[in-house]
């Protein structure tokens, strides 16, 4: 049994994975708070999930912060600062706030000021790839003065953490710069592959890609990109808007990054509208592209 009480703010995909694995590691108390808990319809299912996995569904951020010694914020990018503001109202002196969220260096520095002014410790985390399939062992870069100390406490729990810098924003800048490439590539693949499908040239196009990038299985990678954006486009779009903020903070105009955010938003809206309903988890990318090609031209992104 690990003598560390951990609170999760955000009980989505990441929160559920971490809650389950931390319980398996013997953490003494795991609590969670999510705004969905207050929803009459969705909240009951989320609470039941938490209870079934040994996670205490807290009634408020205040309740969670009053108990947890380590608070992990894992929400959508647009809520990064709002969560830090709320946590700063209730967090205990000497507690640690670990910010998992995909936000710009400037946003992370604002969040750090809020938490540290409340007498707690702020550590940023740059999560360097998708949490599935790694789970708690997903590679993470940590930033902040307390990063080395926190890393020593997290590694025995199975975390794959590397302290990067005592300065807040360095891990975020690393993460955001990577995200521009990865989410940008997702958007490019969706646009390129769907266009090739329209013209019936996808086989020839992928052959040339394989010659240029022989280490990539393009049909497999394409299927993964299409499926992840269809499932998590809204979250990815929010991350790309924070990436655009990162570019802006660096003194450049985020022309491409902003367009990538729009592409992810478009796919997310189509997913909410049911355009991809019925496509299986292991479906080829062509199944997604064919749904896009059936859209009226006015609805295409």
């Amino acid at each position: 049994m690990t003598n560390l009480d951990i609170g999760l703010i955000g009980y989505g995909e990441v929160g559920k994975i971490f809650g389950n694995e931390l319980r398996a590691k013997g953490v003494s108390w795991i609590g969670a708070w999510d705004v969905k808990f207050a929803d009459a319809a969705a909240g009951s299912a989320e609470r039941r999930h938490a209870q079934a996995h040994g996670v205490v569904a807290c009634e408020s951020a205040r309740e969670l912060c009053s108990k947890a010694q380590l608070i992990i914020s894992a929400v959508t990018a647009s809520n990064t600062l709002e969560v830090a503001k709320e946590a700063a109202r209730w967090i205990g002196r000497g507690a640690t706030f670990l910010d998992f969220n995909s936000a710009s260096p400037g946003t992370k520095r604002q969040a750090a000021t809020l938490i540290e002014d409340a007498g707690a410790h702020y550590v940023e985390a740059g999560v360097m790839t998708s949490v599935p399939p790694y789970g708690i062992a997903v590679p993470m870069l940590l930033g902040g003065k307390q990063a080395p100390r926190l890393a020593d406490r997290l590694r025995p729990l199975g975390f794959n953490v590397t302290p990067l810098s005592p300065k807040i924003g360095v891990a975020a800048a690393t993460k955001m710069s990577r995200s521009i490439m990865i989410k940008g590539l997702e958007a490019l693949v969706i646009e390129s592959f769907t266009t090739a499908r329209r013209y019936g040239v996808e086989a020839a196009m992928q052959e040339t890609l394989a010659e240029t990038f022989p280490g990539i299985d393009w049909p497999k990678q394409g299927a993964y990109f299409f499926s992840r954006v269809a499932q998590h486009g809204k979250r990815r779009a929010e991350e790309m808007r924070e990436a655009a903020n990162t570019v802006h903070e660096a003194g450049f105009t985020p022309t491409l990054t902003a367009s990538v955010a729009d592409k992810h938003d478009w796919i997310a809206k189509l997913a909410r509208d049911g355009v991809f309903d019925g496509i299986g988890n292991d479906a080829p990318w062509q199944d997604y592209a064919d749904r896009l090609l059936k859209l009226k031209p006015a609805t295409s992104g």
Side-chain angles (χ1 to χ4, degrees):
M1 187 71 72
T2 301
N3 186 26
L4 181 65
D5 295 336
I6 299 178
L8 303 166
I9 299 182
Y11 197 62
E13 180 184 46
V14 173
K16 290 182 174 70
I17 291 172
F18 276 48
N20 189 43
E21 294 194 28
L22 287 169
R23 172 55 64 192
K25 294 290 185 179
V27 173
S28 56
W29 181 89
I30 306 167
W33 162 246
D34 194 297
V35 292
K36 290 180 293 192
F37 289 175
D39 183 274
S44 58
E46 294 295 303
R47 289 172 179 273
R48 286 196 300 272
H49 184 282
Q51 183 178 15
H53 291 82
V55 176
V56 177
C58 296
E59 295 296 325
S60 64
R62 181 178 185 175
E63 179 186 349
L64 181 139
C65 291
S66 69
K67 175 68 174 175
Q69 299 156 335
L70 170 63
I71 297 167
I72 297 175
S73 177
V75 298
T76 55
S78 63
N79 290 310
T80 298
L81 196 56
E82 190 60 35
V83 165
K85 288 178 181 177
E86 182 67 10
R89 297 175 61 194
W90 314 113
I91 195 167
R93 296 188 68 83
T96 300
F97 184 92
L98 178 58
D99 192 339
F100 267 36
N101 305 311
S102 298
S104 75
T107 300
K108 290 291 183 88
R109 285 192 288 268
Q110 291 180 67
T113 297
L114 291 166
I115 297 298
E116 291 174 356
D117 284 351
H121 305 299
Y122 180 94
V123 177
E124 66 165 334
V127 182
M128 301 311 291
T129 189
S130 297
V131 173
Y134 295 91
I136 208 168
V138 64
M140 283 186 281
L141 303 177
L142 300 185
K145 294 177 182 178
Q146 294 293 318
R149 176 177 172 273
L150 181 61
D152 289 341
R153 300 198 73 183
L154 293 180
R155 288 191 187 103
L157 297 175
F159 283 86
N160 179 7
V161 289
T162 302
L164 183 64
S165 172
K167 293 177 60 177
I168 299 298
V170 176
T174 308
K175 161 71 174 178
M176 290 290 96
S177 297
R178 178 186 186 277
S179 292
I180 293 169
M181 287 295 296
I182 299 301
K183 272 64 175 182
L185 186 58
E186 290 173 348
L188 286 172
V189 163
I190 289 171
E191 193 159 298
S192 170
F193 283 29
T194 303
T195 300
R197 182 79 166 161
R198 168 70 80 187
Y199 286 101
V201 299
E202 64 264 31
M205 184 271 292
Q206 289 187 332
E207 285 177 9
T208 66
L209 286 179
E211 291 174 1
T212 306
F213 303 100
I216 299 176
D217 183 335
W218 284 103
K220 181 178 179 180
Q221 195 67 58
Y224 179 75
F225 282 167
F226 271 85
S227 66
R228 290 298 289 178
V229 177
Q231 291 176 48
H232 303 292
K234 182 177 184 296
R235 188 174 72 195
R236 280 166 148 70
E238 290 189 10
E239 179 175 327
M240 288 311 294
R241 292 202 166 86
E242 282 295 316
N245 289 340
T246 302
V247 175
H248 182 75
E249 290 167 7
F252 303 104
T253 301
T255 307
L256 295 177
T257 308
S259 295
V260 170
D262 291 340
K263 178 65 75 173
H264 283 260
D265 246 350
W266 175 63
I267 295 292
K269 182 181 184 302
L270 295 179
R272 292 194 299 272
D273 292 343
V275 169
F276 306 114
D277 286 358
I279 296 180
N281 292 334
D282 298 322
W285 67 264
Q286 289 90 340
D287 288 3
Y288 292 93
D290 287 344
R291 299 288 181 91
L292 296 178
L293 293 172
K294 290 178 181 178
L295 297 174
K296 296 179 181 179
T299 65
S300 61

